[in-house]
Amino acid sequence: MNQAERPIDQLLAIMARLRDPQGGCPWDLEQDFATIAPYTIEEAYEVADAIDRNDLGGLKDELGDLLLQVVFHAQMAREQGAFGFDDVAAAISDKMVRRHPHVFGDASFADAEAQTVNWEAIKRAEREAAGEQDRSALAGISRGLPEWQRAVKLQSRAARTGFDWPGPEPVIAKLHEEIEEVRVEFDRVAAGEGDAMANQARLQDEIGDLLFVAANLARHAKVDVGAALRQANLKFERRFRAMEQLAQADGTPLSTLALEQQDAYWNRAKRIERGQPD
């Protein structure tokens, strides 16, 4: 296979053709960075989902879809004279070499933790070289991250300065404290005390604190919050679908049942899933 026949060259040519004002795809031509960004995020999550399901065939397809997003953005940038796909590949190659002096240079580190500290130092130097004035330990954490991921990154960065719980027990205690504060705000909303909008704002604030502490607990447990939540979602979906099937087998639509009856089907679904007698 010669250089021009590489699959990546074919993909780049396909995208250029789709974006060609003369005979290209009308939908592709209408897109810009902002409209494509949600698809890019969605494809990244679908990659993670294929990994969770250990579906290597699906992972191949999803990685292709994600690569298409990179090619799409690079094509739009090339049309504006900003950069092209080769510039993207060259930039990340340079960055990987620069951030791994222990692999591509003479540096050495005692362990992975020391290497991570050096990685962050290199990133900080890169930001300063780019003219960034923010010297906070929290500098450089993207605001475009999913909020659960941003929460963990904020907590991890703060922990490097020593600002961290010493272990999971005080985090669990804090979680109970936050649950109680949420309960208080729910009671205030239910009682209709004071200004309704202000009550709702306080409730939102307390729920935010609760979620932040839950993310912190996951960090202390070395559990990925996104993976844990995806697993919880999959479990809920699996059990709810089983509930629907059980109710249907009994000739009763699930939506017509009282909550107590629905809960009985939920418990049946759990028992069946665990291989216990129904």
Side-chain angles (χ1 to χ4, degrees):
M1 179 180 293
N2 60 46
Q3 190 76 358
E5 293 174 329
R6 294 183 309 166
I8 187 61
D9 292 323
Q10 183 181 21
L11 180 58
L12 291 168
I14 289 171
M15 180 51 64
R17 182 72 180 87
L18 290 171
R19 292 278 297 180
D20 187 345
Q22 303 299 320
C25 172
W27 185 90
D28 289 278
L29 285 166
E30 288 180 356
Q31 306 311 308
D32 56 29
F33 296 115
T35 62
I36 290 299
Y39 295 101
T40 308
I41 294 169
E42 179 180 345
E43 295 300 348
Y45 275 110
E46 291 185 359
V47 167
D49 178 60
I51 292 170
D52 282 346
R53 292 183 285 104
N54 195 31
D55 180 2
L56 294 182
L59 178 59
K60 179 192 69 175
D61 290 340
E62 297 301 345
L63 286 171
D65 291 343
L66 185 58
L67 177 59
L68 177 64
Q69 297 299 306
V70 177
V71 169
F72 207 139
H73 286 288
Q75 173 63 28
M76 291 187 291
R78 189 180 70 80
E79 293 164 4
Q80 297 180 18
F83 58 82
F85 181 82
D86 286 349
D87 300 306
V88 173
I92 189 59
S93 295
D94 291 345
K95 183 185 294 184
M96 288 299 98
V97 171
R98 187 170 63 250
R99 293 186 180 179
H100 291 82
H102 54 299
V103 176
F104 301 103
D106 299 327
S108 62
F109 305 108
D111 51 33
E113 183 178 354
Q115 189 266 320
T116 300
V117 170
N118 185 74
W119 174 281
E120 292 299 331
I122 293 172
K123 288 174 63 177
R124 185 165 55 252
E126 290 172 352
R127 292 194 299 269
E128 291 174 358
E132 184 175 306
Q133 300 300 311
D134 190 351
R135 298 293 188 268
S136 170
L138 306 180
I141 299 177
S142 172
R143 296 185 181 277
L145 292 170
E147 293 302 333
W148 60 262
Q149 188 174 0
R150 181 168 160 78
V152 172
K153 283 187 174 289
L154 288 167
Q155 293 160 1
S156 297
R157 287 283 191 88
R160 291 176 192 157
T161 72
F163 188 71
D164 194 12
W165 299 106
E169 288 303 323
V171 186
I172 292 172
K174 185 65 174 176
L175 191 63
H176 285 291
E177 177 185 326
E178 295 297 346
I179 290 172
E180 185 57 34
E181 291 180 2
V182 168
R183 193 193 318 277
V184 169
E185 294 305 327
F186 262 118
D187 289 344
R188 194 192 309 272
V189 169
E193 301 174 3
D195 181 78
M197 290 184 63
N199 289 342
Q200 188 65 27
R202 281 195 300 270
L203 179 58
Q204 176 176 301
D205 188 63
E206 294 298 345
I207 290 176
D209 291 345
L210 175 62
L211 294 173
F212 190 83
V213 175
N216 210 343
L217 183 62
R219 181 178 64 86
H220 275 269
K222 295 182 171 54
V223 167
D224 181 86
V225 180
L229 188 55
R230 282 195 298 275
Q231 290 172 5
N233 287 341
L234 287 171
K235 180 165 58 178
F236 177 85
E237 181 180 7
R238 185 173 63 248
R239 290 178 178 175
F240 187 85
R241 288 179 181 275
M243 286 171 61
E244 291 177 315
Q245 292 171 359
L246 290 168
Q248 185 177 13
D250 289 342
T252 308
L254 190 66
S255 60
T256 65
L257 300 175
L259 180 58
E260 293 79 6
Q261 295 169 300
Q262 291 182 338
D263 197 45
Y265 277 113
W266 174 266
N267 289 328
R268 283 183 63 191
K270 286 171 60 177
R271 288 195 298 272
I272 292 170
E273 183 176 86
R274 293 170 178 171
Q276 298 171 347
D278 183 13

